[in-house]
Amino acid sequence: MSVFAQLVERLADLLEPLFHGSATAAAIILFTALVRLAVHPLSRAAARGQKANARLAPRVAELRKKHGKNPERLQKALLELYAKEKASPLSGCLPSLLQIPAFFLLYHLFSSGSIGGEPNALLAHTLFAAPLGDRWTDALDAGGVAGGAGVVYLVLFAIVLGVAVFNYRRTRRQMADAPAIDPTTPGAAAMAPMMKVMPLLSFATLITVAVVPLAAALYIVTSTTWSAVERVLLYRDMPTAGALAQPL
C-alpha cells in the first residue's frame, strides 16, 4: 500500500501544474487509463474469442441437441470443438478479472486512515470540494445534494447514467438482432430471465459509485466509460458478441 500510495503521489505531482488542487483526482483517472491501456491487448484477444464463439454458435447448438441427454459426452464434444477452433467460452472474462486488483487497491488506499504506520495524507486530497476518501453520504451530510461535494457526485452520476443508458439501448438492439434461444436447448429456461436482466446491469454501477470512496468511484466511472467506447470499436462488426462482453 505504501508503494501504491507513492505511485499516486508521484502522478499527482506530475499533474499538479495542470490540475492544482485536483491533481490527485486527475492522477487516479490517469492511473485508470493506464490500467485499461495495459489490459487492452487482452480485450482485443477477448473480442476475437467472442467472434469465434459466435461463429461456432450453430455447431454448439447442434452438439447440445445431439448430446443433450448425455452431459459428459456433451462437455467432451464442446471442449474438443473449442480446442480445434482455438476458442474459449470464457474469452470475455479475463480483462475484467485483471482490473479487480487495481480497483481494490484504490478502494483500500482511500479507506485506510493510516499507511505504513503514518496518517494517510491522501484522504485530505479533493476533487474540487469533495474529499477523495469520502462517500456520497458524506457529501450529503456536508452540504446536501446541491453542496460543493454533492455537485461533484451529481456530475459522476450523470456520466454513469449516460453510459448506462447507452449500454442499455445498444444491448437491447443487439439482443433483438440475436437468434432466438431454442427452447429445447438445455438451460434455455434459466437463460430467459438472465437475458431480460442483462440490459439493466449497467445501471448497477450507479449504486457502486454511491457507496465506495470517491477515489474508487472515479476509477469505476473512468473504466466504465472506457469500456463503452472500447466495445463499440472492438465489436462494431459483430453486435451480438459485443452485447455479451463484460461491462468493466
Side-chain angles (χ1 to χ4, degrees):
M1 292 298 294
S2 298
V3 173
F4 183 61
Q6 291 175 7
L7 171 62
V8 174
E9 290 173 348
R10 294 285 180 86
L11 287 175
D13 289 341
L14 290 174
L15 297 172
E16 197 275 336
L18 291 175
F19 297 96
H20 306 291
S22 296
T24 301
I28 292 169
I29 295 173
L30 176 60
F31 168 76
T32 308
L34 291 175
V35 171
R36 293 308 309 257
L37 193 61
V39 175
H40 181 68
L42 294 177
S43 298
R44 294 179 66 89
R48 291 193 295 269
Q50 292 268 358
K51 294 174 183 179
N53 291 340
R55 188 180 68 251
L56 296 176
R59 296 169 65 182
V60 170
E62 291 177 4
L63 290 175
R64 291 187 183 280
K65 186 175 181 179
K66 181 178 180 180
H67 303 295
K69 296 182 179 181
N70 189 339
E72 293 183 2
R73 182 69 186 91
L74 173 61
Q75 182 179 15
K76 181 179 179 181
L78 289 175
L79 290 175
E80 290 174 352
L81 175 63
Y82 287 127
K84 180 180 178 181
E85 300 294 334
K86 298 181 180 180
S88 169
L90 302 177
S91 58
C93 298
L94 188 57
S96 295
L97 292 175
L98 290 179
Q99 295 173 63
I100 293 176
F103 169 76
F104 278 108
L105 272 174
L106 272 176
Y107 180 89
H108 287 295
L109 180 60
F110 284 89
S111 297
S112 303
S114 62
I115 299 176
E118 299 292 334
N120 186 358
L122 288 173
L123 297 180
H125 291 230
T126 62
L127 173 59
F128 301 110
L132 294 176
D134 281 3
R135 292 165 169 80
W136 186 43
T137 52
D138 298 314
L140 294 178
D141 291 340
V145 175
V151 170
V152 170
Y153 271 94
L154 287 179
V155 173
L156 294 183
F157 288 146
I159 295 172
V160 172
L161 182 61
V163 173
V165 170
F166 173 80
N167 288 336
Y168 173 79
R169 292 178 175 176
R170 186 165 182 266
T171 303
R172 286 292 298 270
R173 289 196 303 267
Q174 292 162 337
M175 293 175 65
D177 294 337
I181 299 174
D182 185 350
T184 64
T185 301
M191 290 178 63
M194 183 182 69
M195 298 298 282
K196 292 180 180 180
V197 173
M198 186 179 296
L200 301 174
L201 293 179
S202 293
F203 293 96
T205 308
L206 287 165
I207 300 174
T208 307
V209 169
V211 300
V212 300
L214 178 57
L218 286 175
Y219 181 96
I220 293 171
V221 172
T222 305
S223 184
T224 302
T225 306
W226 180 294
S227 290
V229 176
E230 186 177 62
R231 286 202 304 275
V232 169
L233 296 176
L234 294 181
Y235 295 96
R236 60 188 179 276
D237 57 342
M238 188 186 173
T240 301
L244 302 178
Q246 296 298 315
L248 290 183

